[in-house]
Amino acid sequence: MNDGDWKLVQWVTMEPLATTVTHELYNVADDPGEYNNLASEYPRKVGKMAQAILDRRAFL
């Protein structure tokens, strides 16, 4: 999902006993090759964008 210069990548791993969700956050204006994952530096941005993904899924 994109929000301006920001791109959030959400990885969902489904296993028999657990589902794991991880996120990668990139500023594509500064890092077009998506080499520097900024998720740990901007947890609020990750949370906001991840919630937007959930909201879109609920709408569908």
Side-chain angles (χ1 to χ4, degrees):
M1 126 160 259
N2 290 356
D3 180 16
D5 291 340
W6 296 97
K7 177 179 178 180
L8 182 74
V9 178
Q10 185 177 66
W11 296 97
V12 179
T13 305
M14 299 177 78
E15 297 180 11
L17 299 176
T19 299
T20 304
V21 179
T22 56
H23 296 98
E24 297 175 8
L25 181 68
Y26 302 98
N27 183 320
V28 293
D30 295 336
D31 180 20
E34 299 176 15
Y35 296 108
N36 189 20
N37 180 2
L38 300 172
S40 63
E41 295 177 44
Y42 296 94
R44 288 185 182 168
K45 186 70 170 170
V46 170
K48 177 183 170 189
M49 293 177 74
Q51 185 61 51
I53 291 171
L54 290 174
D55 292 347
R56 287 182 185 177
R57 286 184 184 160
F59 181 73
L60 298 176

